Amino acid sequence: MNTVNLNTAHSSAQAQSSVNSSSTKIETRSPTFIGDLLKQHVTNIGRNKDFMYAMTYHSDNEFGAIRQADKADLMTRLENICSNHQGKITNKKFIDCIHDWYLRIPNESRVSSGGDPNQHLSNKGMDIAKMIIAANPNLGGDKASLRMVDIGGNDGKLTHFVAKHLGDLTGKSVEPYVLEVQTETSWDQNSRSVALPDAGKNAPVKTIYYNGTDINTGSVSGEKSKNPLTDGTSFDVAMYQHSLHHFPNSVAQQNSLKQLSDMLDNSGVVTISEHNSALSEHEIDLMHAVTELYSEMDNDPNISKEKLLDCYNTYMNEQTPSEYFSKEKLLDMATKAGFEAASVTKASATPDHVYSITLTKGEKSLGHQSVVDSLTDRKTLMPSRDKFETDSRAMVLKRTLSSNNV
C-alpha cells in the first residue's frame, strides 16, 4: 500500500472566517461569536426557531428531553441579554446564562433523562449496517472476517454497534478500528453513559492514534508496534459519521477520501453522514459546542461557570470552524476519489440538514445512475419522501429508516 497522508476528522482546524447570508462576517472563534450570531439571525432577521434548535437540538431525538417551555425560556433569557446590552457581548455572558438556566430546569427536562442510550446507539448502528449491506450484499466476498475503520469515530461506541450488526447480518467476524488524533474535547452524554455489550465473535474496537498528517506515525493504542494503516491489509468497510466536516478545508477532505479509496478493498463500502449546509454552518458549529456544554454539566453538575467557559473555548479552538458541503459537492469529491453512490438519503427538514450517502468502489460498484440524478431532483428533499428504502439481493429490507436513526 502506498504511503499517504490521512487527515482525520478531529485534526485541529486552521482559523478561518465564514460569510453568512447577509454578507457580514461572523468569526466562529471570536470571543463575541454567540452574541454576534444571535443578533444577526434572531434580532435582525427573526430566525428564532432555527436558533432555538441550535441551542437544544441534541435533545430532539427519539427520547426527547428538554421541554418546549424550557426551550422558550432559554431563548427569552438569551434575547434579554442582547436587548439589555449595547455593542459586542462576550460569549461568557451567554455561557453563564446557559449554566444558570440548565442547572435550574427540572431534572426530567435535562438531556440525560429519558430513553435508553444503549438502545439508541444500537438502533443507529443497525441502520448504518443495513445501508452498508444494501450497497454490497456480498460484502467481503469469501473472507471469513471483515475489517472496518471509523474515521473520526471518537470513543468508538457507535463503531462497536455497527460492527456488531454487520457481523450478525453477514455471519462474519468484524475487526473494527477508530482512526483519531488525540483531543481534549469529549463526546455527547448519551455515548458517555453507554455500557457496551460483549463483542462476541468480533474483535473489540481499537483506536489508531497518529499525528494528524503522516499515517506512518499511527499505532493502535497500547500496541506501539502495530499500524493497521500500513500493514498491507485492506479495509472492507469505512464510515465518516458527521466527521468529514471537521477536516480543515476541502483539499484535506478530498485527500482523505482518495487515501481511503487506496486503503479500501475493491468490493468495499464507505458510508458518510453529513450536514447539507452552506448557509447554516454557524448554527451547526454552535450546536456542537452547546452539546459539549450540556455534556459537561451532565457529567459534573457542580461545574463552575469559569470551567464551562474553558470547555467552550477548548472545543471551539479544536473543532471549528468546520468545513461543510452540499450533497452534490460530496458526491463530486467521492467520484473523483473512485467511488460511486449506491444510496442517498434526503436531507432532513431541520436546520442541521442531515443526509447520508453510501458509496462503493471497484468492479462491484452498483453505479445506480438514478441516485446520481436524484441529487438534483427537488422531490428528494420533500418530507413525504422515504429517507432510505432498498430491496437488497441478499435480503429484503423494504424498511424505511427513521430520520432520527441515521
Side-chain angles (χ1 to χ4, degrees):
M1 182 175 64
N2 294 331
T3 299
V4 292
N5 292 329
L6 187 60
N7 293 294
T8 60
H10 298 304
S11 298
S12 296
Q14 298 175 351
Q16 64 180 17
S17 62
S18 183
V19 180
N20 73 355
S21 57
S22 62
S23 298
T24 301
K25 288 184 178 180
I26 297 180
E27 299 286 348
T28 307
R29 293 179 176 172
S30 164
T32 62
F33 167 65
I34 301 176
D36 294 342
L37 185 61
L38 193 150
K39 281 190 172 183
Q40 191 168 93
H41 286 261
V42 175
T43 305
N44 293 349
I45 59 177
R47 295 183 62 234
N48 302 58
K49 183 177 179 181
D50 289 346
F51 196 88
M52 184 168 69
Y53 183 88
M55 300 302 290
T56 60
Y57 91 109
H58 61 291
S59 68
D60 294 327
N61 55 39
E62 62 193 85
F63 308 128
I66 300 178
R67 300 178 306 187
Q68 191 64 32
D70 292 317
K71 295 179 184 181
D73 179 47
L74 174 61
M75 279 300 296
T76 298
R77 291 170 183 244
L78 297 175
E79 290 180 76
N80 284 343
I81 294 175
C82 285
S83 62
N84 293 331
H85 292 80
Q86 299 297 321
K88 297 283 188 178
I89 307 171
T90 63
N91 294 329
K92 185 179 188 308
K93 288 187 179 294
F94 295 100
I95 292 170
D96 287 352
C97 175
I98 293 169
H99 177 280
D100 291 341
W101 167 82
Y102 187 73
L103 294 180
R104 284 169 174 74
I105 61 177
N107 286 337
E108 61 269 18
S109 195
R110 298 278 182 87
V111 174
S112 58
S113 64
D116 179 355
N118 272 67
Q119 190 60 51
H120 173 67
L121 278 190
S122 180
N123 291 344
K124 186 172 183 178
M126 175 62 85
D127 289 340
I128 295 170
K130 286 188 174 181
M131 294 176 76
I132 292 168
I133 297 300
N136 183 1
N138 191 34
L139 188 68
D142 296 331
K143 296 179 183 177
S145 63
L146 301 173
R147 209 180 196 208
M148 69 173 286
V149 58
D150 185 356
I151 300 176
N154 205 282
D155 61 15
K157 290 183 177 178
L158 176 59
T159 320
H160 169 93
F161 283 107
V162 175
K164 176 185 183 301
H165 294 305
L166 272 178
D168 292 341
L169 291 172
T170 62
K172 303 174 187 286
S173 61
V174 181
E175 182 183 3
Y177 293 92
V178 163
L179 181 58
E180 271 291 355
V181 294
Q182 290 180 307
T183 174
E184 293 183 25
T185 54
S186 62
W187 201 237
D188 66 272
Q189 61 84 27
N190 273 341
S191 185
R192 279 183 173 184
S193 60
V194 167
L196 293 178
D198 185 84
K201 64 178 179 296
N202 291 345
V205 177
K206 294 182 179 180
T207 300
I208 308 168
Y209 286 116
Y210 84 129
N211 69 359
T213 57
D214 183 359
I215 68 169
N216 287 297
T217 66
S219 64
V220 175
S221 179
E223 301 178 25
K224 296 298 183 181
S225 63
K226 184 174 183 180
N227 184 1
L229 303 177
T230 57
D231 66 3
T233 302
S234 61
F235 289 88
D236 301 285
V237 178
M239 51 191 271
Y240 298 82
Q241 288 296 306
H242 302 287
S243 57
L244 191 56
H245 65 255
H246 284 293
F247 286 70
N249 52 59
S250 59
V251 173
Q253 292 166 345
Q254 180 70 70
N255 193 36
S256 176
L257 288 167
K258 179 61 175 68
Q259 293 155 1
L260 174 61
S261 179
D262 292 341
M263 294 193 300
L264 203 67
D265 185 80
N266 277 341
S267 62
V269 175
V270 55
T271 182
I272 305 173
S273 290
E274 267 303 338
H275 303 281
N276 190 47
S277 178
L279 299 178
S280 62
E281 56 191 5
H282 286 118
E283 288 96 321
I284 297 176
D285 278 340
L286 184 60
M287 288 176 185
H288 293 164
V290 173
T291 297
E292 188 76 11
L293 300 185
Y294 291 145
S295 178
E296 292 293 338
M297 288 186 285
D298 276 320
N299 190 51
D300 179 12
N302 295 317
I303 190 170
S304 68
K305 294 177 179 178
E306 290 71 23
K307 176 62 175 176
L308 201 63
L309 178 63
D310 288 342
C311 292
Y312 171 87
N313 289 333
T314 297
Y315 181 88
M316 297 303 273
N317 286 333
E318 287 189 348
Q319 306 293 355
T320 63
S322 297
E323 182 79 13
Y324 300 101
F325 36 75
S326 66
K327 289 197 293 185
E328 291 84 353
K329 182 177 179 181
L330 177 54
L331 182 65
D332 179 64
M333 289 193 294
T335 301
K336 289 177 180 176
F339 296 105
E340 294 185 24
S343 67
V344 182
T345 72
K346 71 174 184 178
S348 66
T350 49
D352 49 345
H353 307 305
V354 175
Y355 68 95
S356 297
I357 295 180
T358 304
L359 305 148
T360 56
K361 61 164 284 187
E363 296 178 357
K364 295 186 179 181
S365 180
L366 302 183
H368 291 173
Q369 185 61 42
S370 60
V371 174
V372 178
D373 294 339
S374 73
L375 289 174
T376 56
D377 181 1
R378 291 185 58 84
K379 292 181 180 179
T380 62
L381 303 180
M382 296 173 61
S384 60
R385 298 277 294 207
D386 292 334
K387 185 174 183 188
F388 177 72
E389 186 171 319
T390 185
D391 187 353
S392 164
R393 287 174 291 173
M395 67 185 75
V396 178
L397 299 180
K398 285 293 185 182
R399 175 172 179 262
T400 302
L401 302 185
S402 165
S403 60
N404 289 325
N405 287 343
V406 176

